[in-house]
Amino acid sequence: MRDLYNESEHAGHALAEMARLVGQALSQATEALLETDLRLAETVISGDRAIDALYREMDVQAPGSLAEQQPVASDLRALLTSLRMSADLERMGDLARHIATVARMRFPDCAVPDELRDTFAQMGEIGVQLSNRLARIIETRDVTAANTLDAQDDTVDRLHRGVFAALLSAEDKYPMQTAIDVTLLSRYYERFADHAVSVAHRVENLGTGEPWDDQP
Amino acid sequence: MRDLYNESEHAGHALAEMARLVGQALSQATEALLETDLRLAETVISGDRAIDALYREMDVQAPGSLAEQQPVASDLRALLTSLRMSADLERMGDLARHIATVARMRFPDCAVPDELRDTFAQMGEIGVQLSNRLARIIETRDVTAANTLDAQDDTVDRLHRGVFAALLSAEDKYPMQTAIDVTLLSRYYERFADHAVSVAHRVENLGTGEPWDDQP
């Protein structure tokens, strides 16, 4: 398989670091949401800047450092893949921030009704696991774990559909604000998992030159 | 300003073509949604493959054609920018497809209640205008229109907030399924406009080497 990190070990470190940071952000955002922790919500919101900075740094530095090496097509493809990965990870940070923003907006109330707490706790936990697995996949280039990520993504999709089913079966029970918040929150968790899987498959496909079709 | 198209006129054409295709997709998706036109919804859903194909073609071809030219850092930055643009455009196609999918799911009913038809029609129309403006910006590299796009994006954001306000003020009036559909649909239109603005600013910033911070 094409070795991205020989070209740019720095890029590999930055991507793994981003994966860990977005996992931490999602963990804190979920706690902020379910425990109505305003300070933690604000930590996630302001902390997203560090993730954005890593993304921008890769965009600015990678082309320059590669140009010094008279790159061939496979180098360029590896560059492109690493930058597609950084875009996914940056977006995962945004989604964690969106969750924290909803938590902050509803404080001191909890945006999530009691009956759905477990579902959101699970979606959060799986998202964090996905991020940490991803960091290891990026570092070790061992993509055997990618299948596990697919299975976990399926679980998040199932939980996401379960949120809608719960809203629909509780007709008139929840206020409209709760319906809106919960719909968007569930979508954020679902997209977070999608992007995680997308990054894992990009690592997997680094060797083939085939781009991963990432957009469900 | 750095001339992306001298490196790869083909990339410029492909990006402009993508902008036109996503504009057409959004136009058709909005009509499918508001006129409950099942066939048109299916046209959008299957047509998204053509947009995805352009995206993948750019990913596969661009690195190879650039490698023949002993690229310098600014060439690589232009490549990177064009591929960031193609990712935004591909995502815009997905969002149009998501709108068409909701239209298809609710057929023969309309997912949008009467009181919100005008709002969604406006969001759709602005999205189409944004896409067509974008195609011209990509082709002419005349970024003076980028400010117009920002203003139109602000209008979409306002309409998006208006959808939530309408749902909240009509407490208990709409069924839960409508609340869920309308929340997601409005989000899709809002994100479509965000991505359009992101592409316009990437064209603008091609010359500076500064990446556009695209993720609200």
Side-chain angles (χ1 to χ4, degrees), chain A residues 55-56 59-60 63-64 66-67 70-73 76-77 80 83-84 86-87 90-91 94 97-98 164 167-168 171 174-177 179-180 183-184 187-188 191 202 209 211 213-216, chain B residues 55-56 59-60 63-64 66-67 70-73 76-77 80 83-84 86-87 90-91 94 97-98 164 167-168 171 174-177 179-180 183-184 187-188 191 202 209 211 213-216:
Chain A
Y55 168 73
R56 275 196 294 270
D59 262 27
V60 171
L66 189 61
Q70 300 292 346
V72 295
L76 291 168
R77 240 170 244 125
L80 165 59
L83 295 172
R84 290 271 190 244
S86 75
E90 196 272 344
R91 188 71 198 144
D94 289 339
R97 174 167 52 81
H98 290 339
F164 293 154
L167 288 177
L168 290 168
E171 191 71 58
Y174 297 124
M176 188 58 84
Q177 187 66 68
I180 296 172
T183 297
L184 290 176
R187 171 92 182 146
Y188 299 149
R191 291 294 298 153
R202 287 187 202 284
D213 185 9
D214 60 324
Q215 312 280 12
Chain B
Y55 167 74
R56 276 196 294 269
D59 263 26
V60 172
L66 189 60
Q70 301 291 347
V72 295
L76 291 168
R77 238 169 245 125
L80 166 60
L83 295 172
R84 289 271 190 242
S86 75
E90 196 272 344
R91 187 74 199 143
D94 289 339
R97 175 167 53 80
H98 290 339
F164 293 154
L167 288 177
L168 290 169
E171 192 70 60
Y174 297 124
M176 188 58 85
Q177 186 66 69
I180 295 171
T183 297
L184 290 175
R187 171 93 183 146
Y188 298 149
R191 291 293 299 154
R202 288 188 203 283
D213 185 8
D214 60 326
Q215 312 280 15

Side-chain angles (χ1 to χ4, degrees), chain A residues 150-168:
Chain A
D150 283 332
Q152 290 194 297
D153 183 39
D154 290 344
T155 305
V156 172
D157 288 345
R158 193 171 44 73
L159 291 166
H160 179 53
R161 287 192 299 271
V163 168
F164 293 154
L167 288 177
L168 290 168

Side-chain angles (χ1 to χ4, degrees), chain A residues 3 33 35 42 79 90 106 183 206:
Chain A
D3 192 333
L33 178 70
E35 307 305 325
E42 284 172 346
L79 167 73
E90 196 272 344
R106 296 299 157 243
T183 297
L206 256 180

Side-chain angles (χ1 to χ4, degrees), chain A residues 111-123:
Chain A
V112 175
D114 283 346
E115 300 81 0
L116 288 172
R117 288 180 66 86
D118 280 356
T119 304
F120 278 93
Q122 278 184 70
M123 288 201 285

Side-chain angles (χ1 to χ4, degrees), chain B residues 77-190:
Chain B
R77 238 169 245 125
L79 168 74
L80 166 60
T81 299
S82 70
L83 295 172
R84 289 271 190 242
M85 288 160 75
S86 75
D88 280 310
L89 288 161
E90 196 272 344
R91 187 74 199 143
M92 290 163 78
D94 289 339
L95 292 163
R97 175 167 53 80
H98 290 339
I99 293 165
T101 303
V102 175
R104 183 172 68 174
M105 253 189 314
R106 295 301 155 243
F107 181 84
D109 294 327
C110 180
V112 175
D114 283 346
E115 301 81 359
L116 287 172
R117 290 180 65 87
D118 281 355
T119 304
F120 278 93
Q122 278 184 69
M123 287 201 286
E125 199 172 318
I126 295 174
V128 174
Q129 287 172 11
L130 285 171
S131 306
N132 292 334
R133 288 220 160 96
L134 206 51
R136 285 196 293 277
I137 288 173
I138 293 167
E139 279 169 344
T140 63
R141 292 157 271 175
D142 174 6
V143 292
T144 51
N147 288 341
T148 313
L149 269 70
D150 282 332
Q152 290 194 296
D153 182 40
D154 290 344
T155 304
V156 172
D157 288 346
R158 193 170 44 73
L159 292 165
H160 179 53
R161 287 192 299 272
V163 168
F164 293 154
L167 288 177
L168 290 169
S169 69
E171 192 70 60
D172 295 336
K173 182 175 162 190
Y174 297 124
M176 188 58 85
Q177 186 66 69
T178 300
I180 295 171
D181 287 346
V182 161
T183 297
L184 290 175
L185 286 165
S186 187
R187 171 93 183 146
Y188 298 149
Y189 282 100
E190 186 238 343

